[in-house]
Amino acid sequence: MSTSTLLSCQWLSRDSPFRTSVLPPLSPAVVLSPSSLPGDAIYPRDENGKFIYHETNLCATWEAMEACKDAGLAKSIGVSNFNRRQLEMILNKPGLKHKPVSNQVECHPYFTQPKLLEFCRQHDIVIVGYSPLGTSRDETWVNVSSPPLLEDPVLNAIGKKYSKTAAQVALRFNIQRGVVVIPKSFNPQRIRENFQIFDFSLTEKEMKEIEALNKNVRYVELLMWRDHPEYPFNDEY
Ligand SMILES: NC(=O)c1ccc[n+]([C@@H]2O[C@H](COP(=O)([O-])OP(=O)(O)OC[C@H]3O[C@@H](n4cnc5c(N)ncnc54)[C@H](OP(=O)(O)O)[C@@H]3O)[C@@H](O)[C@H]2O)c1
């Protein structure tokens, strides 16, 4: 699986009750959230503005994903925002044909996901780190009580040593620990910058310094779905 194919993920209308980001044929397909929503509206709501949820059966959805792979519609299949319990539900499903290859979750120096990363490593599931630069800090969906990642003094000081930016250090940190990164930018210069992370490496001491920045606070809490029975972020990881 390559990062670039995941970078192109987009919404399509769905027959499945789950949010599924479907990519060009033979690319990875990802169950985008364990919290299922019915119909074709991206965020279906009732007349009072409350989100309408679909009855959730993660194992049945996974079987539909397996069928997509078997039909040649997707090269690999993965999940997003799944916690350990939800991953175990899939991994322990009787008759499992294909394991998730990846779990796309928030991951960056302020939210390093050590326990989920270790669990996924043990099960050969790649962590794909979303919001690896700390998001766009759009207050409509981002928890801005956590400070801006790219202003962090440690990231900036390490960047200075290598003539790199804090963004490049944050991305390098993740890829050096085996986490795929999917930074987003609308700016051509910054898109180029975000690829220029393969010509330097961080020392073990610097990796530890960056790991120590973990605040265990999410920028992306998905609080609008917190009353969904499969809301993933109530568990420790
Ligand atoms: N599965 C999920 O639930 C989920 C949740 C959240 C996000 N995601 C995905 O993750 C990807 C990225 O996440 P994100 O957009 O939340 O956050 P992000 O990539 O961490 O940050 C994007 C912000 O950083 C800025 N930026 C990009 N490169 C930069 C650089 N080199 N230096 C300084 N600023 C830079 C961008 O501004 P400019 O555009 O001005 O450069 C934008 O404001 C997206 O594709 C998104 O769809 C998935």
Side-chain angles (χ1 to χ4, degrees):
M1 177 181 46
S2 75
T3 315
S4 56
T5 46
L6 276 169
L7 276 166
S8 63
C9 101
Q10 54 186 280
W11 297 103
L12 289 186
S13 67
R14 300 157 300 278
D15 294 318
S16 154
F18 283 81
R19 303 281 133 160
T20 309
S21 75
V22 182
L23 301 147
L26 300 184
S27 295
V30 177
V31 179
L32 209 57
S33 162
S35 311
S36 55
L37 306 167
D40 278 339
I42 290 185
Y43 299 122
R45 294 173 188 260
D46 66 16
E47 59 281 8
N48 301 315
K50 195 172 166 351
F51 284 106
I52 305 170
Y53 297 140
H54 198 284
E55 204 175 302
T56 303
N57 183 333
L58 291 178
C59 288
T61 298
W62 190 251
E63 284 166 10
M65 297 291 283
E66 289 177 324
C68 288
K69 178 171 161 62
D70 288 341
L73 297 172
K75 186 174 177 184
S76 339
I77 50 178
V79 295
S80 178
N81 290 315
F82 273 44
N83 61 32
R84 176 187 175 145
R85 181 188 60 78
Q86 292 163 331
L87 287 171
E88 282 178 330
M89 200 189 303
I90 303 294
L91 293 172
N92 298 331
K93 189 186 85 60
L96 181 73
K97 287 174 84 178
H98 305 296
K99 279 179 12 178
V101 297
S102 60
N103 187 18
Q104 188 188 127
V105 293
E106 179 173 346
C107 193
H108 48 72
Y110 283 178
F111 196 70
T112 54
Q113 298 267 26
K115 292 184 178 173
L116 190 62
L117 182 56
E118 184 50 33
F119 177 81
C120 286
R121 272 190 191 132
Q122 284 165 7
H123 293 274
D124 213 13
I125 297 171
V126 174
I127 289 270
V128 177
Y130 70 66
S131 306
L133 302 174
T135 79
S136 55
R137 300 187 67 79
D138 175 344
E139 290 190 33
T140 60
W141 60 276
V142 173
N143 167 22
V144 290
S145 71
S146 193
L149 178 69
L150 300 185
E151 290 175 16
D152 185 87
V154 173
L155 297 181
N156 281 283
I158 294 174
K160 207 168 174 191
K161 173 178 161 191
Y162 295 105
S163 300
K164 294 287 178 185
T165 63
Q168 289 169 316
V169 173
L171 297 176
R172 178 72 208 184
F173 164 71
N174 258 339
I175 61 156
Q176 210 167 305
R177 63 208 278 265
V179 172
V180 171
V181 285
I182 51 168
K184 187 170 83 183
S185 175
F186 290 101
N187 176 295
Q189 203 278 324
R190 284 195 284 276
I191 292 171
R192 268 193 297 277
E193 177 183 322
N194 294 342
F195 278 105
Q196 286 158 2
I197 55 172
F198 301 101
D199 55 357
F200 76 113
S201 56
L202 300 165
T203 65
E204 216 170 293
K205 182 168 168 280
E206 287 161 347
M207 288 295 286
K208 286 208 160 50
E209 272 170 30
I210 299 174
E211 268 165 26
L213 299 176
N214 185 22
K215 298 179 188 296
N216 215 20
V217 176
R218 294 176 192 274
Y219 287 118
V220 183
E221 299 174 300
L222 305 177
L223 288 179
M224 65 286 198
W225 296 324
R226 79 191 126 183
D227 59 345
H228 190 285
E230 285 293 350
Y231 177 72
F233 303 151
N234 289 329
D235 296 19
E236 185 199 350
Y237 71 99

